[in-house]
Amino acid sequence: MSQVIDTNVPVNANRALEPTPPDVLLGCIWACVDAIERVVKQGGLVLDQGDEIFDEYRENLCLSGQPGQGDKFMKWVHDHRWGFPDEDRVAITKTNDSYAEFPEHDGLKDVDLSDRKFIAVANAHPSKPSILQSTDSKWWGWKDALADAGITVEFLCENWIKQKYQEKMGK
């Protein structure tokens, strides 16, 4: 099963090394570790051909593969990305502040440029893989519009992200 993984998933997996991660996030951190370990063992990571996702990973994770699980994932991506099946290296076309493959939907007009690549990749892939998301609460607000476009977001920290979104929206 192919998946697109937002950068915050391996970044949060690295937090497992913190001496005392916040209790509220401990379950989330381990869900991130489990998700990336599953992808490393089973494959199925979807990236863009232009390496925009890879470059964002590289800016936020350690290419040596140490010290954390997210860094180990980064090294795995670096070492194996050219061996991914062709359909899991998706072409996306940058157009000004978005991508040609980004779905047209009123509920997605405020999506950050840095997040658009993940959505464009999922939308352009033949099987429209889910996007793994951990702690970016804005995605909770986009989930219905993304579902309308045929894109599923798998929230690894659903209760936490829903609460954070509601706090930010004043609900």
Side-chain angles (χ1 to χ4, degrees):
M1 181 166 147
S2 296
Q3 295 181 311
V4 178
I5 298 180
D6 189 294
T7 308
N8 63 43
V9 174
V11 165
N12 280 313
N14 275 345
R15 296 185 70 195
L17 294 176
E18 293 178 4
T20 53
D23 288 342
V24 71
L25 278 181
L26 196 54
C28 176
I29 291 167
W30 289 112
C32 293
V33 168
D34 290 344
I36 62 173
E37 284 181 348
R38 185 175 59 246
V39 168
V40 167
K41 288 177 185 168
Q42 299 173 2
L45 178 65
V46 179
L47 298 171
D48 62 287
Q49 289 179 359
D51 280 338
E52 289 188 49
I53 293 173
F54 176 80
D55 290 343
E56 184 173 315
Y57 288 168
R58 197 172 55 193
E59 289 172 15
N60 292 278
L61 301 163
C62 186
L63 190 56
S64 72
Q66 302 181 50
Q69 289 293 1
D71 300 321
K72 183 178 176 182
F73 169 77
M74 176 71 239
K75 178 149 179 47
W76 176 82
V77 173
H78 174 268
D79 292 351
H80 294 91
R81 73 185 194 272
W82 299 112
F84 290 0
D86 289 343
E87 68 269 10
D88 288 345
R89 291 199 39 86
V90 178
I92 55 173
T93 310
K94 199 158 199 172
T95 58
N96 299 321
D97 62 349
S98 193
Y99 298 88
E101 298 78 11
F102 189 82
E104 291 290 326
H105 191 289
D106 287 342
L108 299 174
K109 288 184 179 182
D110 294 331
V111 173
D112 302 333
L113 177 59
S114 63
D115 291 319
R116 287 179 176 254
K117 64 183 157 291
F118 298 103
I119 296 167
V121 166
N123 196 43
H125 191 277
S127 67
K128 287 201 178 189
S130 61
I131 301 171
L132 295 186
Q133 176 56 245
S134 63
T135 55
D136 187 345
S137 63
K138 293 175 295 205
W139 285 77
W140 189 260
W142 304 327
K143 68 180 172 34
D144 294 333
L146 288 167
D148 289 347
I151 298 168
T152 303
V153 180
E154 184 179 334
F155 294 99
L156 298 174
C157 315
E158 186 170 336
N159 292 334
W160 187 89
I161 205 166
K162 181 179 177 182
Q163 177 185 341
K164 285 295 173 192
Y165 179 77
Q166 289 171 345
E167 288 172 10
K168 287 182 179 181
M169 300 308 291
K171 295 180 182 178

